[in-house]
C-alpha cells in the first residue's frame, strides 16, 4: 500500500505542475482584423477611437445603424462621420443619402480595402487591396504628400497590410493627400457640394498595432488633422463591423423608441391580466358521458346459453374441432384431411404431447364426426381433451 501512496503523491504533483504552467502561460495573441473600437487586440481600433477626442476636440459618438438610417432626412451641415472597416458594402439608396449628406456640408471619412461596386462606379474609383508590385520587401510604408506634413520618420507595417491603393480615380475631382511606399495613391479628398469625402485604402493604418509601432501615431494624427475640428458632432461607425446595435428581434423598431416600448409592454401586460382573470369557464357544464360497455362477454354468454338450452352439442363440438384442426395446421404445418396413424405420429412428434392424449383426442373427433348427436358428457370430454392437448403442446 506504500507504493500506492507515493503514486498518488506523484500524480498530484504532476497535476499541480501542469495547472501552474497553464496559469503562467502567456495568452495567445488574437490577430483577427476586427477594426472595432471596443477591441484592444492588435488589429482593433481602441487607441485611435480614444485619441480622436484629443485630435478633433470632442469624443466621438458610436453608431450601430446603416448609413442610410443616420443620413436619411438629416438636415445637419457640420457633422463628421468616420467609417473604418475591412470592406464597406452599401446599396444605391445608402449612397444617395450619403452623398446628399456630404453635399449639405458634412464631412465623411472612409478607410476600407474595398467598397461596393455601385459606390465605386458613382465616384469613378477602383481600389486594389494589395500592391503586387511590392515583392522584395518585408514591410511597406505610408506618407502624406502635403509638404507641411513631411517627416523624417517612416510609417511602416507588415507587407500586404497597408499597401492598398487607388488603381483608378477621377483626377479632375479628387485631390491626392497620401501615397504608399510604391508611390501609389492611397488617400484622396473628393469635394462634394459644401462638404468633403475622404477615402483611404489602408484601414490597418488605424489599428492598435500600427499606432503603437514607432512613430506611426503621428501619421494617424496628421490624417485626421484634415478633418474639421469645429464640427458639432463626430460619429464613429461600428455597424459595418459589429452589425446593428440594440435589440435584434423583429420588434427592434418598437423597442428602440421609448414611447413605443412603454406602450408595447403596457399592452402586453393588459393582455396577460385579461387572460388570467377571464380564464374561468363561462359555458354550461359538460354532461358526463359514460364510456361504452364491453358487451363481448355478455354476447358469448348469451350465445352459449342458446346452444346449451337447445341441446346443439354436436354443432358446438364441430366448431371446436374445426378451430382445433385449424390451429394444428397453422402451428405444425400438418395436413388434417386424413386423421390416421401417420397423422397421430407426426402430431406427437411436433407437439410434444403424450401419445395416449393424441390418440384419445383423434378417436373422440372421429366419434363426433360419425354421429349426428352426442351427449353432454361427450362434449365435455372433447373439450377436456382439447384443453389437455393445448397445455401439453410445445407451442
Amino acid at each position: 500500500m506504500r507504493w500506492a501512496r507515493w503514486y498518488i503523491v506523484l500524480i498530484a504533483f504532476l497535476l499541480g505542475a501542469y495547472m501552474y504552467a497553464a496559469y503562467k502561460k502567456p495568452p495567445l495573441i488574437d490577430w483577427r482584423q476586427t477594426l472595432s473600437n471596443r477591441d484592444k487586440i492588435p488589429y482593433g481600433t481602441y487607441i485611435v477611437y480614444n485619441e480622436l477626442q484629443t485630435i478633433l476636440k470632442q469624443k466621438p459618438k458610436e453608431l450601430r445603424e446603416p448609413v442610410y438610417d443616420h443620413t436619411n432626412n438629416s438636415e445637419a451641415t457640420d457633422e463628421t462621420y468616420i467609417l473604418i472597416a475591412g470592406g464597406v458594402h452599401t446599396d444605391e439608396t445608402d449612397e444617395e443619402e450619403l452623398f446628399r449628406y456630404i453635399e449639405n456640408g458634412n464631412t465623411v471619412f472612409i478607410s476600407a480595402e474595398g467598397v461596393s461596386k455601385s459606390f465605386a462606379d458613382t465616384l469613378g474609383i477602383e481600389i486594389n487591396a494589395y500592391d503586387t508590385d511590392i515583392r522584395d520587401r518585408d514591410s511597406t510604408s505610408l506618407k502624406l504628400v502635403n509638404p507641411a506634413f513631411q517627416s523624417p520618420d517612416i510609417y511602416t507595417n507588415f507587407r500586404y497590410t497597408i499597401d492598398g491603393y487607388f488603381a483608378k480615380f477621377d483626377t479632375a475631382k479628387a485631390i491626392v493627400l497620401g501615397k504608399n511606399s510604391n508611390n501609389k495613391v492611397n488617400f484622396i479628398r473628393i469635394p462634394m457640394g459644401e462638404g468633403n469625402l475622404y477615402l483611404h485604402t489602408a484601414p490597418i493604418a488605424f489599428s492598435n498595432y500600427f499606432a503603437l509601432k514607432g512613430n506611426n501615431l503621428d501619421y494617424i494624427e496628421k490624417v485626421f488633422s484634415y478633418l474639421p475640428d469645429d464640427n458639432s458632432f463626430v460619429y464613429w461607425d461600428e455597424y459595418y463591423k459589429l452589425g446593428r446595435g440594440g435589440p435584434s428581434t423583429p420588434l427592434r423598431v418598437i423597442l428602440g423608441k421609448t414611447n413605443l416600448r412603454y406602450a408595447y409592454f403596457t399592452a402586453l401586460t393588459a393582455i396577460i391580466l385579461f387572460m388570467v382573470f377571464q380564464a374561468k369557464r363561462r359555458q354550461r357544464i359538460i354532461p358526463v358521458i359514460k364510456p361504452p360497455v364491453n358487451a363481448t362477454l355478455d354476447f358469448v354468454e348469451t350465445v352459449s346459453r342458446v346452444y346449451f338450452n337447445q341441446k346443439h352439442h354436436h354443432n358446438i363440438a364441430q366448431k371446436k374441432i374445426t378451430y382445433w384442426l385449424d390451429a394444428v395446421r397453422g402451428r405444425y404445418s400438418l395436413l388434417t384431411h386424413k386423421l390416421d396413424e401417420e397423422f397421430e405420429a407426426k402430431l406427437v412428434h411436433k407437439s410434444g404431447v403424450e401419445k395416449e392424449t393424441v390418440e384419445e383426442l383423434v378417436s373422440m373427433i372421429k366419434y363426433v364426426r360419425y354421429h349426428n348427436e352426442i351427449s353432454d358428457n361427450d362434449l365435455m370430454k372433447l373439450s377436456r381433451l382439447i384443453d389437455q392437448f393445448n397445455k401439453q403442446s410445445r407451442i
Side-chain angles (χ1 to χ4, degrees), residues 174-193:
I175 301 170
V176 176
L177 302 179
K179 298 181 179 181
N180 63 17
S181 55
N182 206 30
N183 207 37
K184 293 183 178 179
V185 177
N186 66 354
F187 185 25
I188 61 175
R189 176 172 68 90
I190 303 177
M192 290 185 178

Side-chain angles (χ1 to χ4, degrees), residues 31-206:
W31 290 99
R32 289 178 300 131
Q33 297 183 13
T34 64
L35 297 174
S36 172
N37 65 338
R38 304 181 182 186
D39 292 336
K40 298 180 181 181
I41 60 178
Y43 290 133
T45 53
Y46 177 84
I47 295 176
V48 173
Y49 178 77
N50 288 278
E51 283 294 321
L52 278 177
Q53 185 171 358
T54 302
I55 301 171
L56 300 180
K57 299 180 181 179
Q58 64 173 297
K59 183 177 181 180
K61 181 180 179 182
E62 179 183 302
L63 287 180
R64 292 286 300 278
E65 60 185 7
V67 63
Y68 176 86
D69 291 0
H70 177 69
T71 58
N72 183 36
N73 297 326
S74 173
E75 299 301 328
T77 58
D78 60 346
E79 294 181 350
T80 299
Y81 187 97
I82 300 174
L83 198 168
I84 300 174
V88 178
H89 304 286
T90 53
D91 56 30
E92 294 181 0
T93 305
D94 293 328
E95 293 149 14
E96 290 176 2
E97 287 297 319
L98 178 64
F99 296 150
R100 185 193 62 79
Y101 176 76
I102 298 172
E103 290 170 354
N104 285 346
N106 299 292
T107 301
V108 174
F109 177 89
I110 298 176
S111 181
E113 294 178 349
V115 295
S116 62
K117 185 177 184 302
S118 57
F119 187 92
D121 291 343
T122 302
L123 297 177
I125 62 173
E126 181 180 333
I127 298 176
N128 282 353
Y130 304 104
D131 189 351
T132 55
D133 292 339
I134 302 175
R135 295 188 178 90
D136 56 347
R137 308 175 190 176
D138 59 359
S139 63
T140 53
S141 60
L142 303 173
K143 62 181 179 180
L144 297 171
V145 299
N146 191 331
F149 291 153
Q150 296 301 314
S151 170
D153 296 319
I154 300 176
Y155 312 116
T156 62
N157 201 33
F158 295 127
R159 182 178 55 173
Y160 299 145
T161 57
I162 59 171
D163 54 342
Y165 65 96
F166 290 101
K168 182 181 72 172
F169 64 94
D170 189 348
T171 56
K173 296 181 180 179
I175 301 170
V176 176
L177 302 179
K179 298 181 179 181
N180 63 17
S181 55
N182 206 30
N183 207 37
K184 293 183 178 179
V185 177
N186 66 354
F187 185 25
I188 61 175
R189 176 172 68 90
I190 303 177
M192 290 185 178
E194 300 297 325
N196 291 284
L197 170 63
Y198 292 87
L199 295 177
H200 193 277
T201 61
I204 299 301
F206 304 97

